[in-house]
Each structure stands twice: as C-alpha cells, then as structure tokens.
Amino acid sequence: MTTRLLVRAQALGAKAAYALPRPLRRVLAGKPIRIDGQELSLDAQLMLVLQKISGQSLVVDTPENSRKRLEIGKSLVGGDPIEPVTVRGVNADGVPARLYTPAGVGEDAPLLVFYHGGGWVVGSLDSHDNTCRFLAVNARVKVLSVDYRLAPEHPFPAGVEDSVTAFRWAVANAAALGIDPARVAVGGDSAGGNLAAVVSHQQVLAGGPLPAFQLLFYPGTDGTTRRRSRDLFGDGFFLTSDNMDWFMSHYQPDESQRTDQRFSVLLVDDLSGMPPAYVATAGFDPLRDEGEAFADKLAAAGVPVVKSRQADLIHGYINFLGVGHRFREALSEAAGALRTGLELGQRKSPDVRTAK
C-alpha cells in the first residue's frame, strides 16, 4: 500500500511539473543541454530531472528488481490507457502474446508484430501496453505484442526463437486474427528493434514469408563495436553505457559469440531483400550511431528506408506518453510511417530519406 501511494504521488508530481508554464519548467530542468550540435528538448530534460529526484533507474542490481522498477516507471510516465482498443491474450504457438484491435478496423486489417524493449532482460506486455495502444489507434493497425522469453533465465537465442515463432504464427493464422497476411509488419524498440530486424533477416534466409515493413525504434544492432554516440551519451541520458554492458552480459555472456548475426544484425554481409524500414533514433542515445549505421546499410543494399533522428530526444521516448508533448509527436511520426508503409507496400529504392 505504501509503495502504491508513493508511486501515485510521484505520478501526480510529474504531471504537475509538466503542467507548469514553460519558463518555470525551464528553471526546474536547468540550462539547455547542447551536445554534438543537438539541443535536448525541454520535455526530455525535465524527464531526466524527475527521474533523478524520484530515484528511478533502468537497472537495479538484479533482473528481478530491475523488472519491478520498470513497471513502477511505467505508471509514472506511461499515461492513461488509450482507447478505444479491444485487448485479448493469445497463444502464438506456445509464445504468450496480446492482440490489440482499435475500434473501426475491419477483418482484413494490417498487423504489427511488436517486440518490447528492455535489453532482452526487462520489459513486458504491460510495460509497453500504452505504446501498443497508441500505434494501434494512430496507425489503424492491429498489434500483436509478443511476450518473448527473457534473459538470464532464457539467454540468447531464446528471445530470437520466440520472436520468429510469433511472426510465423501470425501469418499462418491470419484468418483467425482478422488480418491481411500480406500486410504483417514487425517492429520494436531497443532490444525489441533488434529482434524485429533479426526476424526480418531470418525470414529472408528462410525464403519467407517476409514482413511487409520494419518499424524500428533506436534498435541495438551491433554488440561488438563501441561507437561515438556511446561515448557522448553513455551517462546521464536514461540508458547508460554500463546498462548496455549489464544487459548484454545477461543476454549473451560469451562476448566471442556476439558476432552471431542473430545478435548483431548489422554484421550481416548482405541485407538485400530485407523489408522496407522506418528507423528512428534518438539524438541523446548511446545506441544512436549503430541504429543509423543499420539504416545506411539497408539503403546501400537497395532496401527502401526512412532514417529519422529525433535529435532532441533520449532513449525510451516511445514509452513516455503520459507527460509533455514532444514524445507523442515523435511516436505520431512513426505511426504515420507505419500506416503509409503498409499502404504503399514494398517499393524498390536504394536511397535513405532522412526525415526532417
């Protein structure tokens, strides 16, 4: 009871802070932060201040405690459930999942198979519930959120196996789900973005069926190389460099095996034949550069890509729907890209279009 009351008080405090006039929010957040030619948005900077005040962090000693802490964080900034959406649990060939159906979509709707983030260690159907609701309503798609097995109880490649299974099950059971099997996209954030890209490549290797589209938010694509963005933003911007090491050590503790293309999809020699993609990165994110490198490599292989850097945001922004405005704006852009991509279908174009 005490914990619930504290969380409720913190959530009310966060809403009150974001409701302040902009000058007062700026005083609370502090001086603008500018790094690498980018200025952190006031919404994101205030989020980091409130995170510090509340004592929230992405990693807390053990996986169990980290999972609990993430669920608390969701209640602070996730927002009220977005409606109208019908939600029901399904069994995707042994993999638990949750199907979101927004009001007004027909029985031949497109589907997004969504893989939640959390470093393959934390995160759940609940942690990304409102994100899935938002995408369902704003992209006019059904969403199948996949509860893949987590490390360290189930290390690599268990998450990959579950993710592939869920996608194949969705396509095979299109009639029962009321979806168009030719318009099944994959998507996810961070570790979930990694899994979505890996599923796409595994389907290329298997000869199909292929996802119709990839919706990738700040995906982890290479566990072997430390890039410049990790040095610039590896501390103080929600996801830290130490967090990344912690997650990878639980998911694949053998560093020599991180070259596996099911772990580091950026290392795949030939990405031709991959589905069209929207690759979103956050400017103040240690994962920024590897996500953008993956978008560039897709484009070089002839895959249609939109590369969208949300230069003023931080890792995790698709989950911060209950506070401010900037986070919803960024997710709205992605929902539009998903809807357009599914309507247009695969279109051959080798260039990267950078969203402004």
Side-chain angles (χ1 to χ4, degrees):
M1 179 65 73
T2 302
T3 300
R4 287 200 297 269
L5 290 174
L6 178 60
V7 170
R8 185 176 301 173
Q10 290 176 335
L12 291 173
K15 289 183 178 180
Y18 277 93
L20 292 171
R22 182 180 177 85
L24 291 180
R25 279 183 282 134
R26 171 52 67 194
V27 170
L28 183 58
K31 294 180 179 180
I33 296 175
R34 298 183 181 92
I35 301 175
D36 200 28
Q38 308 169 138
E39 181 174 322
L40 189 62
S41 75
L42 179 54
D43 278 354
Q45 192 171 343
L46 185 56
M47 166 72 68
L48 294 173
V49 169
L50 294 175
Q51 177 194 13
K52 186 175 182 179
I53 292 173
S54 66
Q56 294 294 316
S57 60
L58 194 54
V59 170
V60 186
D61 53 68
T62 67
E64 294 79 7
N65 288 336
S66 298
R67 291 164 188 162
K68 292 176 183 177
R69 185 62 62 88
L70 184 64
E71 297 303 325
I72 292 173
K74 166 194 173 275
S75 64
L76 291 176
V77 297
D80 296 328
I82 295 168
E83 300 289 0
V85 182
T86 300
V87 183
R88 66 181 177 92
V90 297
N91 185 317
D93 196 15
V95 180
R98 186 180 289 172
L99 182 67
Y100 295 81
T101 303
V105 301
E107 284 301 302
D108 194 30
L111 176 74
L112 171 67
V113 181
F114 185 84
Y115 307 104
H116 67 77
W120 309 280
V121 177
V122 302
S124 66
L125 298 181
D126 289 337
S127 69
H128 286 64
D129 176 75
N130 228 20
T131 301
C132 290
R133 289 171 176 269
F134 185 100
L135 290 171
V137 169
N138 288 277
R140 307 301 301 151
V141 300
K142 294 183 179 182
V143 177
L144 183 72
S145 185
V146 179
D147 193 17
Y148 58 89
R149 288 171 290 172
L150 298 177
E153 296 89 344
H154 305 283
F156 173 85
V160 173
E161 293 168 350
D162 288 355
S163 298
V164 171
T165 294
F167 171 77
R168 292 176 178 173
W169 176 86
V171 175
N173 290 271
L177 294 171
I179 62 165
D180 178 357
R183 292 189 295 160
V184 179
V186 292
D189 63 314
S190 194
N194 166 275
L195 291 171
V198 169
V199 167
S200 296
H201 184 246
Q202 290 299 299
Q203 290 303 104
V204 170
L205 294 178
L210 294 180
F213 194 77
Q214 300 177 87
L215 186 71
L216 310 179
F217 298 100
Y218 34 87
T221 63
D222 183 5
T224 68
T225 303
R226 185 184 182 96
R227 290 175 168 78
R228 179 169 171 268
S229 59
R230 186 165 175 179
D231 293 326
L232 288 173
F233 310 112
D235 186 37
F237 297 99
F238 188 61
L239 175 68
T240 70
S241 180
D242 287 344
N243 291 163
M244 292 171 64
D245 287 337
W246 188 86
F247 286 129
M248 286 192 289
S249 68
H250 282 92
Y251 184 51
Q252 176 51 283
D254 185 351
E255 293 186 24
S256 69
Q257 297 301 311
R258 293 178 188 173
T259 57
D260 191 310
Q261 61 190 18
R262 296 169 298 169
F263 187 99
S264 297
V265 66
L266 181 59
L267 302 186
V268 172
D269 290 333
D270 182 8
L271 290 174
S272 61
M274 290 279 279
Y278 170 88
V279 182
T281 59
F284 289 75
D285 183 353
L287 285 175
R288 183 192 71 185
D289 290 357
E290 63 188 78
E292 294 182 357
F294 184 66
D296 291 338
K297 193 164 186 177
L298 284 172
V303 178
V305 178
V306 171
K307 181 173 68 174
S308 179
R309 179 190 293 187
Q310 304 296 319
D312 58 342
L313 293 184
I314 58 176
H315 189 88
Y317 69 76
I318 70 169
N319 286 329
F320 307 149
L321 300 177
V323 291
H325 302 285
R326 182 66 187 94
F327 308 120
R328 279 183 175 247
E329 289 175 358
L331 191 54
S332 292
E333 177 190 290
L338 174 62
R339 187 171 184 178
T340 301
L342 286 171
E343 287 178 354
L344 292 178
Q346 296 192 28
R347 209 166 57 169
K348 303 288 184 182
S349 176
D351 60 311
V352 173
R353 301 171 185 83
T354 300
K356 301 295 186 183

